[in-house]
Amino acid sequence: MLIVQKFGGSSVANAERVFNVAGIITEKYKEGNDVVVVVSAQGDTTDDLIEKAKEINPKASRREMDMLLAAGEQISIALLAMAIEKLGYPVVSLLGWQAGFNTNSTYGSARIKRIDTERIKAELDKKKIVIVAGFQGINRFGDITTLGRGGSDTSAVAIAAAMHADLCQIYTDVDGVYTADPRLVKNAFKLDEITYDEMLELATLGAQVLNNRSVELAKKYNIELEVLSSFTKVPGTKVKEATKMEKMLIKGVAKDTNVARVMLVGIPDVPGVAFQIFSRLAKAHINVDIILQSVGRDNTKDITFTVASDKGEEAVAAIREYAEKVGAKSLSYDSNVAKISIVGAGMETHEGVAARMFEALGDAGINIQMISTSEIKISVLIDAADADRAVQVVHSAFFDIPNSF
Ligand code: ADP
Ligand code: ASP
Ligand code: MG
């Protein structure tokens, strides 16, 4: 069997944990499997490197940031390989470019274009355990790129897809995907299975247990993922195609604090205004999420929308000139907001789900600023200060009384 295993930062945070991971890897190797391992930087290394960069130059180019951040994974692959050597097994560590990760040139959030797997295959043929640096690749100019925060998950799934692996295991510091972040919600429980679509929504809406691009890739290439803990030996959560999974109305609650709300008040209520605003944002490469337009009143209307929290200022800058030209009353943004979402394929065929969510928030005195829905999710925008409490009350509204829906 060919097995791809990925270990996150906390799983390799110190020497003891590196040896623990080496034990998990060699156990599978001993059984006669080919094993390719993807590792992240140790503990908070990536955050620490970002801080170091800020001390030198807060406006450092994205190219140099990637050069710096890729170093975190270089440390962990070498240390893990050394631990495996010490246990007496053949092993080789490879940086992203050595492992054949070709990406585009979007530094900081590069996309994998292709993996040339010859080197990995050659090392496996020599019966070596192959340790690959996650989160990084190389672009056509021969420069180092990184895939965006949490990108090692994507590296692992991409290798599993390129090599037609039989198993792709994502080891982390929780023993699976829960109905909410178990660190935030005591009563959250572990799901045995979740569909790609549901996991994709949860990941995109803030559940950082899996990177959303990794789920997208897994779905595209039909790679079944197993999310499990490197600290315990209990079975994890399977992320897979919908089969005859138990139909749960709601699979989980997610929180995203990486959001800012931009408010444009008192613009003319005439055709073409929305186009003028959102085409400027698109030109500035700013992704817009929830959009709300008020009903026209006295020939004016308001438009409110959300962007990533670090894009609030840029979004305002991109539309300021237009807003002034058409005589808008005000233009501002607010980063003290959070998006709380519920996700579940079952809600498509059930009425009353939104009402139950809104009731829980209302009872807790939490005001809803914006709402957005799709077939399998409902998101609300609220004050950031209420975010944790909102996750807890919404989770309890759906999960504390089993089968109540
Ligand atoms: P790794 O370093 O292994 O990649 P991450 O920190 O990226 O780990 O992701 C694991 C964390 O995701 C957990 O520690 C947990 O706090 C958080 N998390 C958020 N939502 C969920 C969820 N629904 N289920 C499990 N974990 C979650
Ligand atoms: N080390 C990178 C990060 O912290 C990649 C990862 O952990 O997946 O984002
Ligand atoms: Mg992660």
Side-chain angles (χ1 to χ4, degrees):
M1 251 196 357
L2 171 61
I3 303 177
V4 174
Q5 299 182 317
K6 179 258 169 177
F7 296 92
S10 47
S11 298
V12 291
N14 56 41
E16 186 193 337
R17 291 185 182 181
V18 170
F19 273 108
N20 170 55
V21 164
I24 296 174
I25 297 166
T26 52
E27 208 169 291
K28 281 278 184 282
Y29 179 83
K30 272 190 290 196
E31 291 167 6
N33 300 300
D34 285 336
V35 187
V36 180
V37 177
V38 172
V39 229
S40 302
Q42 290 185 290
D44 297 328
T45 303
T46 309
D47 292 325
D48 296 345
L49 290 172
I50 292 172
E51 284 309 310
K52 271 192 203 302
K54 279 190 192 148
E55 281 171 26
I56 302 281
N57 178 1
K59 293 205 155 72
S61 67
R62 287 181 176 273
R63 180 195 182 277
E64 298 310 329
M65 280 309 287
D66 280 7
M67 186 62 101
L68 179 70
L69 297 191
E73 272 69 13
Q74 177 157 2
I75 296 172
S76 52
I77 55 168
L79 292 175
L80 181 56
M82 289 173 194
I84 294 173
E85 277 178 354
K86 195 162 175 192
L87 297 181
Y89 294 91
V91 61
V92 62
S93 66
L94 299 174
L95 288 169
W97 67 268
Q98 293 175 300
F101 275 82
N102 292 276
T103 73
N104 69 9
S105 289
T106 315
Y107 297 107
S109 57
R111 292 242 173 200
I112 300 168
K113 288 201 302 197
R114 183 181 83 242
I115 306 182
D116 297 329
T117 53
E118 292 79 29
R119 177 73 190 270
I120 297 180
K121 282 185 181 143
E123 300 293 351
L124 290 175
D125 285 344
K126 289 186 232 159
K127 291 287 156 228
K128 290 198 178 163
I129 295 169
V130 181
I131 313 284
V132 178
F135 176 59
Q136 56 174 259
I138 192 167
N139 65 16
R140 66 194 172 95
F141 308 112
D143 285 337
I144 304 296
T145 54
T146 68
L147 308 180
R149 298 307 304 268
S152 296
D153 297 334
T154 311
S155 308
V157 176
I159 292 189
M163 309 226 7
H164 308 288
D166 301 289
L167 186 60
C168 184
Q169 298 180 310
I170 310 288
Y171 283 90
T172 180
D173 57 359
V174 283
D175 54 13
V177 178
Y178 279 69
T179 49
D181 187 339
R183 296 183 202 287
L184 190 61
V185 179
K186 274 201 318 297
N187 293 345
F189 59 89
K190 187 169 67 179
L191 299 162
D192 295 331
E193 302 183 329
I194 185 166
T195 66
Y196 292 125
D197 287 334
E198 291 169 324
M199 190 65 236
L200 186 55
E201 287 286 1
L202 274 183
T204 306
L205 295 168
Q208 98 246 35
V209 61
L210 279 178
N211 173 289
N212 61 347
R213 278 195 194 164
S214 74
V215 184
E216 220 168 56
L217 263 191
K219 179 181 176 184
K220 185 167 171 195
Y221 293 99
N222 203 15
I223 309 283
E224 189 173 308
L225 305 179
E226 193 181 352
V227 179
L228 66 179
S229 166
S230 62
F231 304 117
T232 61
K233 289 212 158 187
V234 297
T237 300
K238 297 250 164 68
V239 184
K240 55 196 264 191
E241 204 54 78
T243 46
K244 52 179 193 317
M245 280 184 207
E246 182 194 350
K247 268 264 173 195
M248 267 168 63
L249 185 60
I250 303 297
K251 277 285 171 60
V253 185
K255 171 185 88 167
D256 187 358
T257 50
N258 177 23
V259 35
R261 180 174 60 138
V262 181
M263 290 153 289
L264 186 53
V265 177
I267 47 176
D269 189 16
V270 294
V273 173
F275 165 71
Q276 293 296 338
I277 294 166
F278 293 103
S279 58
R280 280 171 172 75
L281 294 164
K283 219 188 228 160
H285 301 288
I286 295 169
N287 238 328
V288 175
D289 182 21
I290 310 176
I291 301 174
L292 189 72
Q293 178 177 298
S294 71
V295 176
R297 218 182 313 105
D298 304 330
N299 299 323
T300 69
K301 62 188 173 191
D302 310 332
I303 289 185
T304 311
F305 56 90
T306 64
V307 296
S309 55
D310 61 347
K311 295 283 181 190
E313 208 175 317
E314 275 175 58
V316 166
I319 56 178
R320 177 169 290 128
E321 204 183 293
Y322 176 73
E324 279 166 7
K325 196 175 92 189
V326 298
K329 271 205 206 89
S330 71
L331 170 62
S332 60
Y333 80 95
D334 177 6
S335 305
N336 287 317
V337 291
K339 188 167 68 171
I340 307 298
S341 310
I342 56 174
V343 172
M347 72 171 74
E348 221 174 340
T349 50
H350 273 76
E351 63 291 338
V353 177
R356 181 180 280 215
M357 180 184 192
F358 302 158
E359 180 187 22
L361 292 167
D363 287 350
I366 296 169
N367 187 38
I368 299 172
Q369 301 173 358
M370 293 169 97
I371 300 172
S372 116
T373 65
S374 77
E375 285 95 344
I376 67 164
K377 66 130 199 205
I378 302 170
S379 299
V380 296
L381 197 80
I382 59 169
D383 207 78
D386 294 328
D388 289 358
R389 210 159 48 88
V391 174
Q392 285 152 357
V393 298
V394 170
H395 186 275
S396 110
F398 286 98
F399 293 105
D400 280 3
I401 315 152
N403 307 320
S404 65
F405 230 92

